[in-house]
Structures are given as C-alpha cells and as structure tokens.
Amino acid sequence: QVQLVESGGGLVQAGGSLRLSCAASGLTFSSYSMGWFRQAPGKEREFVATISRIGGSTVYADSVNGRFTISRDNAKNTVFLQMNSLKPEDTAVYYCAASPKISRLAYASSYDYWGQGTQVTVSS
C-alpha cells in the first residue's frame, strides 16, 4: 500500500530553520506531483507548496514564498521542504501529499495520498 512518512518537524525559535522530509513507498514516485500542506489548531488545512513530477516546476503559497523551498529526489522517493526565517504563524502540523494530477495542485482535493503529518512549532 501507499505510504507517505514525514519527518524533521520540531521546536524552533523564530528566525530559525527546519527541513522536512517525506519518504514515499508503494507508488511510482516520479508519476506523482507532490505537495506540502499545513494545519494550525482551529484552522483549515492550507496549501504550502507543490512540485511537479520531475521537479521542474514549483508553486508556493504567498505566505511562504521566498522563505520555503520544496524539492524532490526521485531516486530516493523523497520530497523535502526547507523552511527558513520561520515565524510563529508557521506553527502547524505539516502534511505531505501525492497527486496524479498536473494542475489544481493548490487544492487538497487534488491529492490521493497523505502522510500522517509532522508537528512544527515556532516560538517567539
């Protein structure tokens, strides 16, 4: 079965950095667009970033553009999210997701598979 396993979350001070990883198994990784979403307490899940199947195209939410970088290693079936200049408002559970689509990737409904999430907490 398909599994997406996130890692790399934790507690960091404002201005710091974290690198999230998501290891995929049970699917042909290079056939899927990958995305990162996040959900803060009491809020809806929101789009963070997405990357195309071979990594040639990326899209970011305005709130993270210029601070976060999504990348992937198809040889290792892994997608990454490098998060710099973290702010307290970045505190959330971060989820990676896999989509067979090549468009509408800012929408959670476009994704077929989801990881269990990893907590990121940014202290002020």
Side-chain angles (χ1 to χ4, degrees):
Q1 72 279 19
V2 175
Q3 282 193 311
L4 301 177
V5 180
E6 300 98 335
S7 61
L11 173 64
V12 64
Q13 289 188 329
S17 298
L18 283 174
R19 189 191 196 207
L20 305 184
S21 300
C22 172
S25 61
L27 77 170
T28 304
F29 186 69
S30 59
S31 296
Y32 286 81
S33 303
M34 298 298 295
W36 285 96
F37 288 74
R38 67 187 182 186
Q39 188 167 17
K43 295 187 177 181
E44 293 187 354
R45 189 169 298 191
E46 66 172 357
F47 167 74
V48 175
T50 186
I51 188 166
S52 60
R53 295 171 180 178
I54 60 171
S57 176
T58 57
V59 178
Y60 297 91
D62 289 344
S63 58
V64 307
N65 197 23
R67 300 187 298 122
F68 291 10
T69 302
I70 188 172
S71 60
R72 65 190 294 163
D73 184 341
N74 284 355
K76 296 182 178 180
N77 288 3
T78 303
V79 62
F80 305 97
L81 186 68
Q82 177 67 44
M83 305 186 295
N84 298 329
S85 302
L86 283 161
K87 305 175 181 180
E89 51 262 45
D90 294 318
T91 296
V93 177
Y94 283 71
Y95 299 89
C96 72
S99 172
K101 299 182 178 181
I102 59 172
S103 62
R104 298 183 59 81
L105 293 171
Y107 299 92
S109 58
S110 294
Y111 293 80
D112 289 356
Y113 304 107
W114 293 82
Q116 83 288 350
T118 186
Q119 177 71 47
V120 171
T121 303
V122 184
S123 63
S124 58

